[in-house]
Amino acid sequence: MMTSYPAPINPIRTRIGWIGTGVMGGAMASRLLSAGYSVTIYARNPSKIVHLQSQGALLADSPVDICKNDVIFTMLGHPSDVRQIVLENLIPFLNQNTVIIDHTSSHPVLAKQIFDAARERDCWAVDAPVSGGDIGAKEGKLAILAGGNEDVVKWLNPLFDVLGKGTFMGGPGKGQSCKIANQIVVGANMLGLSEGLVFAERAGLDKKKFVEAVKGGAAGSMVMELFGERMIERDFRPGGFTEYMVKDLGMGLDVGAEEGDDVVVLPGAALNKQMFSAMVGNGDGKLGTQGLITVIERINGK
């Protein structure tokens, strides 16, 4: 397949369908609208996308209506949502040559099933979860981790470039595997930052000075850049829900068993899943993952 499949992407010609307009999905759809693309959106609650309609978005009455477009994006919550909407309510009605991109953090096995189902209809599916949070979505700086057919991913680059930077990770499911690995690293960094800030406060340090002093050294990370000040200012508005981090880490811990392979032993990821699960248990599952610091504070009697 050539990268011109089936015709080069063009804002005037390429019709975009979108399902999933939460914190991340809404910001991503907004960027495509700003870039001049025609975007049709299906939303269970249309009142929540008035701001996107003001940018020119069209409203679909059902997921089936989305299938009329050339490229369809989904950004959903859980693998069960992906199975229901993508596998059961989109793919059976796709037109030939449609490409469907699932940005949801989902399961590699499900991504492979979707890819195979799409090919049966002479279509393509790309699993392309993202990293970068709400700020990355708004600024078009997301890391897009794409699995599927390499030529199709190359063909999609004009769209990915509006949202951030796309990287082809391998065959179907590899994007999802990369996102799980990403979350294992992010979760570990988030826990370390939370504990470091709690320790710094107990030691009588100015927390802002602490972050400023160490961020240029080995302790520095993108997690610190994105979430250090938010933690200090008690800003727990979600870029991604904590309950989704629990989901992602859980997939990392059981993905081998799901595929019939040996489970990878990940003691750090298991501990982090417990910590984020404690946050959910405290009623904070809809807060941002930076709220993990509240769990460490509670353990320390604050």
Side-chain angles (χ1 to χ4, degrees):
M1 179 195 305
M2 303 300 291
T3 55
S4 59
Y5 166 91
I9 287 177
N10 183 291
I12 297 175
R13 179 174 54 244
T14 306
R15 299 168 300 170
I16 305 296
W18 196 285
I19 301 179
T21 53
V23 174
M24 296 290 292
M28 295 165 73
S30 175
R31 287 196 60 82
L32 289 173
L33 287 163
S34 296
Y37 286 94
S38 173
V39 180
T40 301
I41 299 173
Y42 170 72
R44 286 177 292 185
N45 188 346
S47 65
K48 292 186 176 180
I49 65 164
V50 172
H51 65 294
L52 294 174
Q53 287 180 283
S54 70
Q55 288 185 260
L58 305 174
L59 186 63
D61 293 327
S62 71
V64 174
D65 290 336
I66 291 291
C67 295
K68 302 172 184 177
N69 293 284
D70 304 305
V71 180
I72 299 171
F73 291 82
T74 55
M75 174 61 96
L76 307 170
H78 296 275
S80 57
D81 301 316
V82 175
R83 180 174 295 278
Q84 178 187 5
I85 293 177
V86 178
L87 201 56
E88 298 175 7
N89 289 297
L90 287 181
I91 287 182
F93 305 100
L94 293 180
N95 295 325
Q96 187 179 26
N97 293 327
T98 301
V99 177
I100 188 164
I101 306 163
D102 183 28
H103 284 308
T104 315
S105 295
S106 186
H107 202 288
V109 171
L110 179 56
K112 294 174 185 176
Q113 293 171 349
I114 290 171
F115 181 90
D116 291 341
R119 292 304 302 132
E120 290 178 1
R121 294 194 60 83
D122 291 325
C123 297
W124 294 96
V126 173
D127 52 290
V130 301
S131 181
D134 57 327
I135 293 176
K138 292 173 184 176
E139 296 182 352
K141 296 180 179 179
L142 292 172
I144 303 167
L145 316 168
N149 178 281
E150 186 172 9
D151 286 331
V152 172
V153 171
K154 288 180 180 178
W155 178 73
L156 291 168
N157 274 336
L159 296 174
F160 288 158
D161 287 346
V162 175
L163 306 175
K165 176 177 172 50
T167 302
F168 177 68
M169 301 307 305
K174 297 303 184 186
Q176 297 297 352
S177 294
C178 186
K179 178 58 185 288
I180 291 171
N182 174 86
Q183 295 299 77
I184 291 170
V185 175
V186 170
N189 279 317
M190 196 73 76
L191 179 58
L193 178 58
S194 298
E195 292 187 350
L197 285 170
V198 170
F199 178 86
E201 183 176 37
R202 285 294 180 92
L205 296 172
D206 181 300
K207 289 181 288 185
K208 289 188 177 181
K209 285 185 177 180
F210 158 69
V211 169
E212 189 64 29
V214 305
K215 70 179 184 180
S221 67
M222 185 58 69
V223 166
M224 183 176 285
E225 291 284 345
L226 290 174
F227 299 112
E229 185 173 351
R230 293 191 192 188
M231 286 183 177
I232 294 168
E233 298 295 337
R234 319 299 291 174
D235 178 1
F236 302 139
R237 289 174 294 177
F241 294 139
T242 292
E243 63 183 28
Y244 293 167
M245 176 63 85
V246 174
K247 169 202 67 174
D248 294 346
L249 292 173
M251 289 191 293
L253 294 170
D254 68 17
V255 69
E258 292 273 348
E259 295 180 315
D261 298 328
D262 292 335
V263 176
V264 180
V265 179
L266 304 168
L271 173 60
N272 282 327
K273 181 175 181 286
Q274 288 183 330
M275 293 292 102
F276 284 107
S277 295
M279 191 177 158
V280 173
N282 290 336
D284 296 332
K286 296 294 187 184
L287 297 184
T289 51
Q290 68 272 25
L292 183 63
I293 192 171
T294 62
V295 175
I296 306 304
E297 290 171 340
R298 287 182 188 224
I299 292 173
N300 284 279
K302 182 175 179 180

